Amino acid sequence: MGMELLKGIWESLGLEENDMTKALDLHSCFQLLAGNIYPPCPQPELATGLPAHSDFGLLTILLQNGVNGLQVKHRGNWVRVEPLPNSFLVNTGDHIEIVSNGRYKSVLHRAEVNSQSTRMSIVSAVAPSLDAIVDPASQLVSDEHPVMFRGMRFGEFLERHQANRLREKSMLDLIRLHAE
Ligand SMILES: O=C(O)CCC(=O)C(=O)O
Ligand SMILES: [Fe+2]
């Protein structure tokens, strides 16, 4: 499913699927499956489920147990995302922002808790191969669109990500070459 979605994204950017599969070594891509559990909290207004962050990787595919909690930042405001029954929610990750030279943005999101129900989510991340050096696709760099990020081996990005606290889009800021 991730690969089908990526195909559409490459197409929307005018990139060749084969080129991207090769550049990011997607035949041995890094995939991570993680589960989050948010038990009911007696004072939800004093607690955070997950602080605001963007995900590493290209896409994250999220399955929720039908309990509200996810919020995304949209035009400066936090917006609640209602889980739709029998659906996956897909977030764009930092590496789509890097590869697309900023055409796509990674989604800033957070999870809140509530006092009534346990919330659960399962996250599947689709990311480049650990040894792939991820940098903006050369076809998307021009005088009007100067290169926005420096290249970094995905494995190194991940190690640094794991060593840091989740904080907004701080990982992208580490490799950003121009202020937005
Ligand atoms: O629980 C959620 O809805 C979000 C989980 C999440 O953002 C993450 O695990 O990165
Ligand atoms: Fe996330």
Side-chain angles (χ1 to χ4, degrees):
M1 177 177 152
M3 293 306 159
E4 286 301 308
L5 292 170
L6 284 175
K7 230 191 253 182
I9 291 179
W10 306 143
E11 206 176 302
S12 75
L13 290 166
L15 300 173
E16 293 293 328
E17 185 191 345
N18 283 345
D19 293 350
M20 298 318 295
T21 301
K22 208 164 140 209
L24 302 172
D25 195 5
L26 291 179
H27 286 309
S28 55
C29 72
F30 179 87
Q31 280 190 278
L32 180 111
L33 195 68
N36 298 300
I37 182 156
Y38 310 93
C41 171
Q43 290 182 288
E45 64 287 356
L46 300 181
T48 307
L50 262 186
H53 67 282
S54 55
D55 294 335
F56 66 77
L58 299 161
L59 297 175
T60 35
I61 302 170
L62 188 78
L63 183 65
Q64 305 166 73
N65 71 335
V67 176
N68 282 358
L70 181 67
Q71 299 183 344
V72 299
K73 193 84 170 263
H74 181 62
R75 302 200 170 130
N77 297 312
W78 285 110
V79 178
R80 288 209 165 90
V81 181
E82 306 277 331
L84 295 175
N86 306 317
S87 72
F88 293 108
L89 185 131
V90 180
N91 276 329
T92 43
D94 288 343
H95 289 80
I96 279 289
E97 184 161 343
I98 300 168
V99 172
S100 71
N101 200 26
R103 310 289 211 284
Y104 277 80
K105 303 290 179 201
S106 57
V107 179
L108 193 60
H109 56 286
R110 66 183 186 188
E112 56 175 12
V113 288
N114 74 82
S115 58
Q116 307 292 321
S117 327
T118 296
R119 176 161 189 273
M120 285 186 273
S121 64
I122 296 176
V123 189
S124 169
V126 180
S129 152
L130 287 172
D131 281 330
I133 310 268
V134 188
D135 57 1
S138 56
Q139 302 90 319
L140 303 178
V141 174
S142 62
D143 288 345
E144 299 98 274
H145 297 284
V147 63
M148 284 187 66
F149 301 99
R150 70 182 168 89
M152 186 184 274
R153 200 176 63 87
F154 176 65
E156 185 184 344
F157 189 101
L158 192 60
E159 275 166 29
R160 291 185 184 218
H161 182 274
Q162 304 301 68
N164 280 289
R165 291 179 50 198
L166 285 182
R167 188 169 52 81
E168 305 257 323
K169 292 171 78 159
S170 53
M171 284 302 300
L172 271 186
D173 293 338
L174 198 70
I175 54 169
R176 195 185 297 282
L177 295 172
H178 300 281
E180 281 198 286

